[in-house]
Amino acid sequence: MPERGMPATGMPEPGMPEPQVMRGPNLGAMLLQACRTHRKTPAIESETLRLDYEELGARATEIARRLATGGVARDEPVAVLLSNHPLDLVAFVGVWLAGGVVVPIHRSNPAAVVAQALDAAGARSGIDALGTAALPAGWTRSGQFVASERPRRSPLAVLEDGAFVIFTSGSTGQPKGVVLSHRAFCGKLDAIDSLLRFGAGERTLLVLNLTFSFGNWVSLLTLKTGGTVVMHEKFAPQAFIDALRGGAIHRVGVVPTMMRALFAAAPGEIPAPGEIASPGGIAQPDPAASGDGIVDAIVEETMALRQILIGGEPLGRALAAQLMARFPRARLIDIYGLTESSTSDFFLFPEDHPRYSGCIGRPSPGVEFRIATAGGVEVPDGEVGELQLRTPFVMNGYLDAPETTRAAFQDGWLRTGDMARLRDGEVVELAGRAKELISRGGNKVSPLEIEQVFAEHPEVAAAMATGVADAILGERIHLLVVPRPGRSPTEAALREFAAPRLPRFKQPDAIHFGAELPMGRTGKADRAALRRTLESGDAPTAG
């Protein structure tokens, strides 16, 4: 806890109430220790506000006092209405110091959506530091604090030692509230740092939303190690490039959809990159083939950038090659993980890209895995089964959903719902989501495999495949193609390209063209949304 007798600009003075005593590892205590250590070092920056560590600690401690005075109980859910503002991270720390559980909700949501999340969490209080969120009926404001007359929910075992209640995207059915403990999340931060080595004074660009567990751990690990979080409210290609060029950024976390948008929007985009063969036989764009200087400009002006952390959806070989060509001085690190396991369960490092591009890599410390049949029997190496995990960093469970929690495990292993195979006895390669596998004429087809093939075409920026119900075949394969800027690939050319690379039964039955892939609320490409659009008949027909 904070030292006694510190100046009024800093931490608590004698006689002031202390935040709750922690029972074990606690994210709030961890960050308060960073505030004591780094004091005047910049902690969080945005276009509108800059906070050093001492200011972060003082503001968070005051929030904790106010919440405690208001009667927030230990392990009680507290909503944090946010939009990637520095005060949103301050609110996280304040809630944890008060003993509460952070429930992140985006403040731009309509009141009905906010109400749904508040009801699902059972929250009766919260923080809206900007005062702009649309509150549902029965909620009132007092400065940055919001509250309702809802009675305090009864203590639940699933909320014990709770740090977060994070609602999954809910692209199918109702969102599920994943409860992550302080012990699990603190442990996973240490495991991640043992691989990535965040450092004091390093600057992390945050374009990931703080409702997204990826955005949470990138921010918290930066603060834990004395770095600076440079916050953008949302991802915008030009602002992203400007930050890399002028902000001495050392690290950035992104999802592949963002990088596809970046390459589509960047001035001077290479229209048709030449290709060179990598040692692993994977074609990579040749930066020397452009002749327009944009690659050299980015390289020279982003010399501080040392890590590109990418995850949240499959990276794919073509986009990986493009990123490595554009940012050759930065290490491209592909990360796979579930919210339910505190994220970041597998890492693919640059040295593995030549041989294992398109794979998710090797497990992070503390993570065991198996690839099993529906009955829980491990499959031989090279065969496809469900990827399952066992780790001390696993969730407490889904809030108010004990049956759903039990169904998420098989013999103590967390079921990811992802189909995978093991390569060379140590590297995991995904084969698609179990629920997303397309059943065409009795054949099970991975949409991921189709997408990777078409995304390697030099005129294709992105591709997404899905199955659409069919009376004869059960499902037919539909593919959405996003062309590179200034390019207009024909269906015939794409089919000719894919013919030697895919078996006939995996060839798309229909190819559609669009300006972008459909995206969900966390910025990830949303396959379910594409399927719904196609089934509604709104999508363009294949040419």
Side-chain angles (χ1 to χ4, degrees), residues 156-169:
L156 295 174
V158 74
L159 286 170
E160 288 182 6
D161 189 40
F164 284 109
V165 176
I166 297 178
F167 288 97
T168 57
S169 60

Side-chain angles (χ1 to χ4, degrees), residues 8 80 148 155-156 158 170-171 230 264 287 299 309 344 447 512:
V80 177
S148 72
L156 295 174
V158 74
S171 58
V230 181
V299 169
L309 311 177
S344 307
H512 312 275

Side-chain angles (χ1 to χ4, degrees), residues 79-100:
V80 177
L81 297 149
L82 52 80
S83 55
N84 279 29
H85 188 279
L87 295 181
D88 299 334
L89 279 175
V90 173
F92 279 20
V93 182
V95 171
W96 290 326
L97 292 176

Side-chain angles (χ1 to χ4, degrees), residues 4 12-20 61 64-66 68-69:
R4 294 290 188 177
E13 297 177 350
M16 300 178 103
E18 293 280 357
Q20 291 203 28
T61 303
R65 291 195 195 97
R66 290 284 303 274
T69 301

Side-chain angles (χ1 to χ4, degrees), residues 285-306:
D286 179 5
S290 70
D292 63 3
I294 185 65
V295 173
D296 293 338
I298 292 178
V299 169
E300 291 302 321
E301 296 174 17
T302 60
M303 291 182 64
L305 186 66
R306 71 180 189 88

